[in-house]
């Protein structure tokens, strides 16, 4: 099979400012190189030292045991508790009275908790869980809005050694049922409702439906947030905050083995049922702690805001565990970015003096579409660092993020990683790297990344191929819940256990920078050329009329596959044959005739997962006139598919 042809040309490069560099933890390339080299050449020394920055209950005997590959054992013999790492360790320091969580609800209500207060809340909730018989090793599903109690319950589970399985608050009753059954959950934590776009999401009602006919759940803990009417089963349902009022504010953290499971988080496979990705305690905590510290270059006075939902891995690692382990002040927001107006994020940044913003390309593109004025009317001078995660960020969006949001002052860290990797894998360190728009740049410490071909040979500069990771890292997944074979098969079998295979395409440029080219399942084959959908999409969105684009193949007798582009356009543009022709020409000019779409279809919206990733798999079926096959439970808006289908007719 030929390599993936890379056609994207991007030569701009942006150094961090001298001021940023001077204050940064790692402020020059030689220092990064030295630390990186040690992390690869002597991982025991590097990770052993990093791990000893955390408060262990019992010190570990061994850094890594890889003898049962691909199941890694990190920090064997050690005991710790993730909630104690996040909370208790700070109580004997000045951070005791520092704000840990600064929360704003969609209606504008604000609550904040110092580390001491958060600790008390978590202990109370842990005692509430215990009182209903929840204990070490039990699986607990959490289906909650973005309220402080979501983070507190996550930590309360960790405190007593219960395994949390957070299910994003937008999932349907069926998705919840599947996950509760697969994980064998014996308790569910939910809320009466949550605010989203001015309306109440009736979460408890969805849980009630999900649990119809499900036998194994003995308790549903309900947090009353919105006060909407809910059904109540006296035998099963308990009012969590009512019980918390009289619960003790002390709860000793359960000593956990380093390899005890901390949580499950379900991620959709391209086919088949969702996989319960299993993360354990020691390695995950060391990995999220260290990446947060270096990638966001956290300082004591930072106000850090990651806009993800705690229901995604980004929220687990970079709202809860990583930042709190570092003693950061974390902003949490309940609602939609355009409620009650399209400037809500920037208003929040002005109001709370946010210094670090970590968000997703899909959100950045939405803000671009809504117009600069909603951003610029708020004061963003507090911002010093910007981050991106979730998808390849197209250079246009990157430049807009830098110029409009960050006023050319803030470095951007484009962080590549996965639910499975637990933490950030490819990323610039903000004081070190001269970033290039669209590149996740260099590997984080301990990450031995390569771009290889189908035979496992490393490819030379600028050749597109498969991203591969050569050795275990602390925060990596330890398995798929209940299906160890699927773990081996999916991630380690492609190259006989030699590489972890994330399923993404990538190239490395002449400076060794990584450019992620999207999922390899999405690669197109036009006349024998393998093209990355992401590069063609990037060319399309660089046209002024286009907001978002998704490129998929459809079968073509002549070329094997022809390029079909689904395009959503901005408010000022009009869908017409003329515009379609312009866009086809635009792609031809930007990257060559080879990549010129055979067909452009205008769409008001593209099918996305609830975390904002475009589901090209579904568009492939539509473009080829096939019935949609495979798992659609992660789709955000089902009506989008019907509209796309009827447009095609
Ligand atoms: C953190 C997260 C993982 C997939 C991954 C990629 C894509 C994520 C980037 C990215 C290019 C990035 N976990 N992805 N971050 N692609 N640049 N900075 O999103 O499990 O939900 O998704 O997301 O394809 O494999 S995830």
């Amino acid at each position: 099979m030929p390599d993936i042809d890379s056609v994207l040309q991007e030569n701009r490069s942006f150094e961090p400012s001298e001021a940023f560099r001077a204050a940064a933890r790692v402020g020059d390339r030689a220092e990064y190189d030295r630390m990186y080299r040690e992390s690869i050449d002597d991982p025991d020394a590097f990770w052993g030292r990093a791990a000893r920055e955390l408060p262990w209950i019992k010190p570990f005997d061994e850094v890594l045991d890889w003898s049962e590959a691909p199941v890694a054992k990190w920090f064997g013999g050690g005991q710790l508790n993730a909630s104690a790492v996040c909370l208790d360790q700070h109580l004997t320091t000045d951070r005791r009275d520092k704000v840990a969580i600064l929360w704003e609800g969609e209606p504008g209500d604000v609550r904040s908790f110092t580390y001491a207060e958060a600790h008390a809340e978590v202990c109370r909730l842990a005692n509430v869980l215990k009182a209903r018989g929840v204990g070490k090793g039990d699986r607990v599903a959490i289906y909650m809005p973005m309220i402080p109690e979501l983070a507190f319950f996550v930590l309360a589970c960790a405190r007593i050694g219960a395994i949390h399985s957070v299910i994003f608050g937008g999932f349907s009753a069926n998705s919840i049922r599947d996950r509760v059954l697969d994980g064998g959950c014996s308790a569910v934590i939910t809320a009466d409702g949550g605010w989203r776009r001015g309306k109440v999401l009736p979460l408890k009602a969805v849980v009630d439906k999900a649990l119809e006919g499900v036998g194994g759940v003995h308790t549903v803990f309900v947090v009353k947030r919105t006060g909407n009417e809910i059904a109540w089963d006296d035998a099963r349902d308990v009012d969590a905050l009512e019980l918390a009022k009289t619960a003790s504010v002390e709860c000793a953290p359960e000593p956990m083995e380093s390899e005890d499971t901390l949580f499950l988080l379900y991620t959709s496979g391209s086919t088949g049922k969702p996989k319960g990705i299993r993360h354990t305690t020691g390695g995950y905590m060391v990995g999220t702690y260290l990446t947060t510290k270096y990638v966001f270059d956290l300082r004591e006075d930072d106000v850090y805001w990651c806009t993800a939902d705690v229901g995604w891995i980004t929220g687990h690692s970079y709202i809860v565990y990583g930042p709190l382990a570092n003693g950061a002040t974390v902003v949490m927001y309940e609602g939609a970015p355009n409620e009650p107006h399209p400037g809500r994020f920037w208003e929040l940044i002005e109001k709370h003096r946010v210094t670090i913003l970590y968000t997703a390309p899909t959100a950045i593109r939405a803000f671009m579409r809504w117009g600069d004025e909603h951003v610029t009317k708020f004061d963003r001078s507090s911002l010093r660092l910007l981050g991106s995660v979730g998808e390849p960020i197209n250079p246009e969006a990157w430049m807009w993020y830098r110029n409009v949001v960050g006023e050319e002052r803030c470095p951007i860290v484009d962080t590549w990683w996965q639910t499975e990797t637990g933490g950030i894998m490819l990323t610039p360190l903000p004081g070190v790297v001269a970033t290039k728009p669209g590149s996740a740049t260099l590997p984080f410490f301990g990450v031995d990344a390569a771009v290889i071909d189908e035979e496992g040979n490393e490819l030379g500069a600028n050749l597109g191929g498969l991203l591969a990771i050569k050795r275990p890292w602390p925060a990596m997944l330890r398995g798929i819940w209940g299906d160890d074979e699927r773990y081996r098969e999916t991630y380690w079998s492609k190259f006989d256990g030699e590489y972890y295979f994330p399923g993404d395409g990538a190239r490395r440029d002449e400076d060794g920078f990584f450019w992620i080219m999207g999922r390899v399942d999405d690669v197109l084959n036009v006349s024998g050329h393998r093209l990355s959908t992401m590069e063609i999409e990037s060319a399309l969105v660089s046209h002024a009329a286009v907001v978002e684009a998704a490129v998929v193949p459809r079968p073509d007798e002549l070329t094997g596959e022809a390029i079909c582009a689904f395009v959503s356009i901005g408010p000022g543009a009009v869908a017409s044959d003329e515009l379609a022709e312009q866009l086809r020409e635009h792609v031809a000019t930007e990257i060559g005739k080879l990549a010129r779409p055979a067909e452009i279809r205008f769409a008001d919206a593209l099918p996305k997962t609830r975390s904002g990733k475009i589901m090209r798999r579904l568009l492939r079926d539509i473009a080829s006139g096939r019935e949609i096959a495979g798992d659609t439970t992660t789709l955000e808006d089902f009506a989008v598919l019907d509209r796309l289908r009827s447009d095609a007719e």
Side-chain angles (χ1 to χ4, degrees):
M1 200 187 285
D3 314 326
I4 307 169
D5 290 331
S6 179
V7 287
L8 186 84
Q9 277 299 324
E10 175 56 66
N11 300 317
R12 288 168 289 192
S13 161
F14 299 89
E15 294 274 356
S17 70
E18 231 2 86
F20 194 100
R21 194 190 283 281
R25 207 168 243 117
V26 182
D28 67 62
R29 181 63 193 258
E31 174 75 352
Y32 160 82
D33 286 341
R34 193 194 58 70
M35 291 174 75
Y36 179 75
R37 272 278 46 100
E38 189 203 17
S39 73
I40 298 298
D41 295 343
D42 193 356
D44 282 12
F46 181 88
W47 287 116
R49 202 167 55 241
R52 279 186 281 272
E53 291 180 29
L54 298 187
W56 292 80
I57 295 168
K58 176 172 171 281
F60 49 90
D61 307 316
E62 188 181 26
V63 172
L64 169 65
D65 175 358
W66 189 228
S67 62
E68 283 167 51
V71 181
K73 285 203 182 83
W74 283 91
F75 312 114
Q79 289 184 337
L80 76 171
N81 180 285
S83 94
V85 173
C86 291
L87 301 169
D88 305 42
Q89 68 159 324
H90 306 307
L91 301 188
T92 50
T93 72
D94 288 348
R95 288 183 185 143
R96 185 184 170 83
D97 299 315
K98 172 178 175 175
V99 173
I101 291 183
L102 174 51
W103 174 85
E104 183 159 327
E106 191 177 80
D109 37 344
V110 173
R111 296 161 72 195
S112 85
F113 300 83
T114 63
Y115 273 91
E117 289 164 344
H119 175 265
E121 296 300 321
V122 168
C123 287
R124 279 186 219 272
L125 295 180
N127 286 323
V128 168
L129 291 172
K130 273 185 168 171
R132 289 288 296 199
V134 179
K136 188 168 179 171
D138 292 347
R139 275 82 62 211
V140 177
I142 304 184
Y143 183 71
M144 298 255 285
M146 278 285 284
I147 55 177
E149 286 76 12
L150 168 52
F152 295 156
F153 260 123
V154 161
L155 292 168
C157 286
R159 196 159 190 90
I160 64 174
I163 298 169
H164 57 76
S165 169
V166 183
I167 304 166
F168 171 63
F171 276 119
S172 66
N174 280 336
S175 308
I176 299 171
R177 179 181 298 130
D178 289 349
R179 288 158 173 76
V180 165
L181 289 175
D182 186 82
C185 296
S186 56
V188 177
I189 303 167
T190 189
D192 51 356
W195 288 104
R196 190 80 190 176
R197 299 216 158 78
K199 294 202 180 68
V200 172
L201 289 178
L203 299 173
K204 167 69 162 64
V206 181
V207 168
D208 288 340
K209 186 148 180 266
L211 296 184
E212 273 170 24
V214 173
V217 174
H218 59 71
T219 305
V220 174
F221 298 89
V222 183
V223 173
K224 295 203 176 152
R225 154 71 178 139
T226 43
N228 50 311
E229 215 173 295
I230 51 178
W232 200 261
D233 174 345
D234 282 328
R236 189 196 66 183
D237 300 344
V238 300
D239 183 330
L241 297 186
E242 197 52 42
L243 294 178
K245 277 186 194 157
T246 53
S248 163
V249 293
E250 293 296 332
C251 174
E254 186 72 31
M256 302 297 285
E257 297 299 326
S258 183
E259 284 300 339
D260 278 343
T261 300
L262 177 60
F263 67 85
L264 306 180
L265 185 58
Y266 283 82
T267 175
S268 66
S270 49
T271 52
K273 64 175 178 131
K275 303 172 274 199
I277 301 299
R278 188 169 72 84
H279 282 286
T280 59
T281 309
Y284 177 79
M285 288 312 298
V286 172
T288 54
Y289 162 75
L290 205 75
T291 46
T292 306
K293 172 173 163 175
Y294 284 109
V295 176
F296 300 109
D297 194 40
L298 271 185
R299 295 207 243 121
E300 212 47 62
D301 56 355
D302 272 317
V303 178
Y304 164 93
W305 183 23
C306 165
T307 69
D309 193 288
V310 169
W312 309 120
I313 190 67
T314 305
H316 282 59
S317 301
Y318 298 110
I319 294 177
V320 181
Y321 288 110
L324 297 181
N326 278 279
T329 294
V330 176
V331 172
M332 221 176 140
Y333 168 60
E334 177 185 34
N338 53 352
E339 183 62 36
H341 59 77
R344 184 67 188 272
F345 269 28
W346 320 107
E347 186 180 39
L348 281 159
I349 286 169
E350 175 182 291
K351 181 169 167 189
H352 300 297
R353 303 299 295 160
V354 171
T355 60
I356 302 174
L357 176 68
Y358 190 32
T359 193
T362 180
I364 296 168
R365 287 190 294 265
F367 289 121
M368 286 173 75
R369 170 186 209 153
W370 295 335
D372 295 6
E373 65 277 15
H374 302 292
V375 182
T376 53
K377 80 168 171 240
F378 295 101
D379 177 13
R380 287 139 11 263
S381 61
S382 57
L383 287 173
R384 67 179 195 92
L385 178 62
L386 303 173
S388 173
V389 59
E391 284 177 288
I393 179 166
N394 49 297
E396 293 307 306
W398 196 100
M399 289 304 299
W400 183 87
Y401 198 26
R402 180 182 151 82
N403 292 339
V404 178
V405 174
E407 302 172 292
E408 299 172 43
R409 171 185 71 245
C410 309
I412 297 178
V413 287
D414 175 4
T415 61
W416 176 89
W417 59 292
Q418 306 179 297
T419 303
E420 293 87 338
T421 68
I424 293 167
M425 300 291 278
L426 302 176
T427 178
L429 293 191
V432 172
V433 175
T435 50
K436 305 182 192 183
S439 171
T441 75
L442 298 170
F444 186 73
F445 303 132
V447 176
D448 198 351
V451 177
I452 60 181
D453 67 14
E454 289 280 337
E455 277 76 55
N457 306 309
E458 271 201 47
L459 293 171
N462 290 316
L463 292 175
L466 309 173
L467 181 63
I469 315 287
K470 210 167 191 163
R471 58 173 82 215
W473 61 99
M476 69 192 267
L477 78 165
R478 299 301 194 272
I480 294 173
W481 185 254
D483 198 346
D484 290 339
E485 195 37 49
R486 192 174 177 198
Y487 165 65
R488 278 167 212 277
E489 176 57 34
T490 310
Y491 303 107
W492 295 94
S493 68
K494 193 169 174 70
F495 301 100
D496 291 334
E498 204 189 327
Y499 290 104
Y500 169 84
F501 175 56
D504 282 354
R507 75 180 160 93
R508 243 181 142 162
D509 70 15
E510 56 288 347
D511 295 326
F513 282 28
F514 286 85
W515 297 75
I516 304 297
M517 297 162 76
R519 306 292 298 165
V520 288
D521 298 346
D522 291 335
V523 167
L524 298 151
N525 195 330
V526 183
S527 310
H529 296 278
R530 286 171 38 91
L531 299 172
S532 129
T533 55
M534 174 254 145
E535 295 192 336
I536 305 170
E537 289 158 7
S538 187
L540 281 163
V541 294
S542 73
H543 187 284
V546 177
V547 177
E548 282 205 296
V551 162
V552 295
R554 65 166 166 69
D556 184 279
E557 279 180 20
L558 206 62
T559 53
E561 285 180 343
I563 300 171
C564 178
F566 291 80
V567 164
S568 78
I569 54 180
V574 184
S576 64
D577 290 348
E578 203 188 338
L579 179 58
E581 191 45 36
Q582 262 185 39
L583 294 179
R584 296 175 65 238
E585 272 321 300
H586 179 72
V587 175
T589 325
E590 288 286 301
I591 55 186
K593 289 197 180 111
L594 178 71
R596 187 198 333 242
E599 191 182 345
I600 302 271
R601 293 198 193 178
F602 294 103
D604 61 343
L606 301 174
K608 288 188 194 162
T609 65
R610 290 157 208 271
S611 63
K613 298 190 212 298
I614 296 170
M615 293 178 84
R616 292 180 190 76
R617 180 162 60 79
L618 306 184
L619 291 172
R620 268 197 312 264
D621 290 342
I622 292 175
S624 322
R626 288 192 299 259
E627 271 302 298
I628 290 175
D631 178 28
T632 53
T633 57
T634 54
L635 184 65
E636 156 106 64
D637 172 9
F638 284 90
V640 163
L641 287 186
D642 293 331
R643 291 200 296 274
L644 288 168
R645 274 204 211 92
S646 55
D647 286 352
E649 277 156 16

